[in-house]
Amino acid sequence: MADQVDLSGRIPAPGGARPPWRELEGLRPLTLRACRRLVVVAPHPRDEIRAAGGLLRRLAARHASVDVLALTDGPGRTCTPPEGLAVPMGPERPVDDLVVRPDDLADPDTLASVLARLDEAADDDPVGETSVDSEEAALEDAYEALGVAEVRRHRLGLPDAGLAGREADVVAALSEIVGFVEDPHGLCVLAPWSGDGDDDHEAAGRAAEIVCAAYRVRLVRWLDQAWSWAGPESAEVPWRRARQLALSETVRARKLAASAAFGGRPGRDRELPDGSAPGPREVFLV
């Protein structure tokens, strides 16, 4: 496809106008018949469901095992709560209660009291285990709605919006999973496209490319943020490598239900499935 418009700045079209996506209807279908184990690299919670929920369901229906390497625990920037719903920030704590004064360190009884208060504050940490567990519960509900019965999740716990500086950690963690697979010929890795336009997605994509090249494993890439700045005529996207997975009404409904587990906006998702190509399809680069 020839590039008719300069989209190098990755600026969304004015007024939310979208390019003529009908050209994507002619993409060749994605076939992963030999895939018996899928390893997914997910920069943020629910990224893989948004962009590739239909593919995950199809492979699971074929009894392929699914591993998800979750790079960050925090909510991704693409996870938007419904309008009018406040995001819980955790219990408020009086700041003065956590001040340690020099005199406190000299008195064993006072110091013990201060340490006890600090331990109590750590137990109430809103970004601690409680929030992570609630995220895991939402993911479990989302996969159940999607119809994927079993997923092995591996947490890396890296900072959101900081993956570009931690690519070596992603490479190491992914290598630990890929390098010990008994049947590498039946293995596929699914990751964001390294040119997607989001720093975390691109870092995850580059790490996946390094590992897959080293172990000679097939890599399938999804598009996410690219849909906000690229069109079918954009030369920045290697459309010759694009493949589509057509989604039935049932699968699209399941993706909507999975999105609702994270507080998605059903109206918006019906118009443009979150992180997916416009229309009843998912698009990948192979």
Side-chain angles (χ1 to χ4, degrees), residues 80-101:
T80 308
E83 294 180 2
L85 179 64
V87 178
M89 300 301 293
E92 295 184 359
R93 300 187 304 273
V95 177
D96 292 341
D97 191 45
L98 299 181
V99 173
V100 180
R101 302 176 178 84

Side-chain angles (χ1 to χ4, degrees), residues 37-111:
R37 183 172 181 180
L38 182 70
V39 177
V40 184
V41 183
H44 309 114
R46 100 163 183 160
D47 275 356
E48 75 278 14
I49 295 175
R50 289 159 40 86
L55 178 60
L56 292 172
R57 175 172 168 79
R58 171 169 292 191
L59 291 177
R62 295 178 180 174
H63 305 290
S65 61
V66 178
D67 290 76
V68 176
L69 176 59
L71 303 185
T72 69
D73 289 330
R77 283 153 290 168
T78 51
C79 300
T80 308
E83 294 180 2
L85 179 64
V87 178
M89 300 301 293
E92 295 184 359
R93 300 187 304 273
V95 177
D96 292 341
D97 191 45
L98 299 181
V99 173
V100 180
R101 302 176 178 84
D103 292 343
D104 295 337
L105 305 180
D107 186 339
D109 293 336
T110 305
L111 178 58

Side-chain angles (χ1 to χ4, degrees), residues 129-146:
E129 195 65 29
T130 301
S131 64
V132 172
D133 288 346
S134 64
E135 190 70 55
E136 286 296 313
L139 283 165
E140 184 176 343
D141 291 342
Y143 276 108
E144 182 178 353
L146 197 60

Side-chain angles (χ1 to χ4, degrees), residues 188-267:
C188 293
V189 172
L190 177 65
W193 174 44
S194 60
D196 188 57
D198 176 276
D199 289 343
D200 281 353
H201 292 186
E202 294 189 357
R206 289 190 298 267
E209 289 171 356
I210 292 172
V211 174
C212 289
Y215 289 96
R216 298 183 179 180
V217 171
R218 183 172 186 181
L219 174 62
V220 178
R221 307 159 178 88
W222 75 64
L223 305 179
D224 191 325
Q225 296 300 308
W227 297 118
S228 67
W229 58 263
E233 300 297 326
S234 175
E236 292 188 44
V237 181
W239 291 114
R240 66 187 181 282
R241 292 161 42 195
R243 302 290 185 271
Q244 69 167 314
L245 177 67
L247 304 179
S248 66
E249 289 290 339
T250 300
V251 173
R252 294 173 70 185
R254 283 188 173 274
K255 284 190 69 173
L256 288 173
S259 179
F262 293 89
R265 299 178 186 175

